Amino acid sequence: MLAELQQVSKHYDHPVLKEISLTIHRGDSIAIVGPSGSGKSTLLNILGTLDRPSSGRVILNGEAVELLDDNQLAWIRNRFIGFVFQRHYLLPQLTLLENILLPVLPEKDRSVVKVAEHRASRLLGRVGLIDRMTHLPGELSVGECQRAAVVRALINKPGLLLADEPTGSLDEEHASALGRLLTELNLEEEIGMVVVTHSMELARGMKEVYRLHSGRLEKLEEA
Ligand code: ADP
Ligand code: MG
C-alpha cells in the first residue's frame, strides 16, 4: 500500500472534509471530482503533506505522517510524491531539461544525477518533447510546458503522483491529450495516481472516480 487516509477531517472556519478514508495502491488511478470549493485541493494537499488534517491520520509509504521528523517529511515530499498543479510553475530562465532536473540537484551522488539525466531524456521523448529539451518555457506552448511539468513530477520515480486540476489551463484538445498521457504513464511507471479535476472526461480516464460532496467522498464508478 502506498498511501492511506484514515478518517481525515479538516475544518477551517467551517467543516471542509468529514472523516474521509481512502487507500491507494501501486498502479491505482483515482479521480476526485466535485464543484469548486468542495475541498478537493484541501484533500490533495493533506495527502501530499502540504497541509495537515484537523483529525484523522495520513499514512505514506507505511509511516504515519504526524510522526515523521523534518528530514523524513522532506524525503517523502521530494522522493515519494510527485506533484502537478494547474499551472506548470516551470522557472522561465531555465531550459526544460534544467527545470526537470531541479528536484535532483540537491543530490550529492553524481551517479544518481546521471541516472536522472537518462530518465529525463527518456521521459521527455515519451511525452514528445525530446527536441524541446534545451528550449526555455517561454518558447513553448502551455500544453508542452504542462507535459514537462509531468516529467518533472516523475523524475525521482515517486510512488505517488498527485495532480490538482492538471488540465485546468489547457484547451479541450490539449486537455484530452494530457489526460491520455496521465493514464498511460500510470500503467507504464506503475505509480499510484490521484487526480483532482472538474473535468469528467479526465476523470473517466482513471480507474476509480469519487465525488467530494458535503465533505464526504462517494464512489461513482469503476472502469
Ligand atoms: P476545491 O479545490 O474543491 O475548489 P478547496 O479545497 O480549495 O476546494 O477549498 C475548500 C473550502 O475550504 C473552501 O470553502 C475554501 O474557502 C476553504 N479553504 C481552503 N483553504 C483554506 C485556508 N487556507 N484557510 C481558510 N479556508 C480555506
Ligand atoms: Mg482546488
Side-chain angles (χ1 to χ4, degrees):
M1 185 179 65
L2 288 174
E4 190 174 9
L5 298 177
Q6 295 177 344
Q7 302 210 294
V8 162
S9 297
K10 182 72 178 179
H11 312 264
Y12 288 115
D13 49 351
H14 62 290
V16 176
L17 304 175
K18 298 177 188 166
E19 297 189 345
I20 288 187
S21 296
L22 182 68
T23 306
I24 303 153
H25 296 95
R26 198 162 277 281
D28 282 354
S29 60
I30 294 172
I32 296 174
V33 298
S36 182
S38 58
K40 303 182 300 298
S41 295
T42 302
L43 179 63
L44 205 69
N45 290 344
I46 288 173
L47 190 55
T49 77
L50 302 177
D51 197 355
R52 286 168 181 275
S54 306
S55 64
R57 273 192 145 179
V58 182
I59 314 283
L60 292 175
N61 201 27
E63 313 246 28
V65 167
E66 72 217 59
L67 302 179
L68 299 180
D69 64 28
D70 287 350
N71 280 336
Q72 290 169 311
L73 261 185
W75 186 90
I76 287 273
R77 287 186 193 127
N78 293 337
R79 306 298 293 268
F80 184 69
I81 301 176
F83 292 97
V84 178
F85 299 98
Q86 178 169 349
R87 295 193 44 227
H88 55 72
Y89 297 112
L90 298 173
L91 297 177
Q93 68 276 31
L94 299 183
T95 67
L96 280 198
L97 184 62
E98 289 165 345
N99 266 287
I100 285 159
L101 290 174
L102 210 51
V104 188
L105 290 185
E107 185 58 61
K108 304 273 184 296
D109 184 343
R110 290 305 302 168
S111 67
V112 174
V113 177
K114 272 270 165 278
V115 170
E117 283 170 357
H118 194 262
R119 182 168 165 77
S121 33
R122 182 179 71 75
L123 284 169
L124 280 169
R126 174 64 190 80
V127 305
L129 291 173
I130 197 72
D131 56 352
R132 296 280 194 276
M133 60 193 226
T134 57
H135 286 57
L136 298 173
E139 300 170 323
L140 304 174
S141 73
V142 181
E144 287 173 324
C145 287
Q146 195 62 334
R147 296 203 313 268
V150 171
V151 172
R152 182 185 52 190
L154 294 175
I155 193 63
N156 275 326
K157 265 193 160 294
L160 199 57
L161 183 75
L162 304 180
D164 192 347
E165 307 275 8
T167 62
S169 300
L170 305 179
D171 63 32
E172 219 175 299
E173 190 186 326
H174 287 102
S176 298
L178 192 83
R180 284 195 300 277
L181 181 66
L182 289 174
T183 306
E184 291 162 12
L185 289 171
N186 169 242
L187 299 175
E188 293 166 21
E189 302 292 316
E190 294 186 308
I191 38 177
M193 190 178 275
V194 182
V195 178
V196 153
T197 181
H198 275 93
S199 159
M200 271 317 289
E201 187 196 344
L202 176 59
R204 282 196 202 95
M206 302 293 130
K207 290 171 196 147
E208 296 174 75
V209 182
Y210 291 86
R211 187 166 71 118
L212 195 52
H213 180 67
S214 302
R216 298 189 188 275
L217 266 191
E218 27 180 85
K219 194 161 188 176
L220 286 188
E221 59 190 82
E222 203 159 331

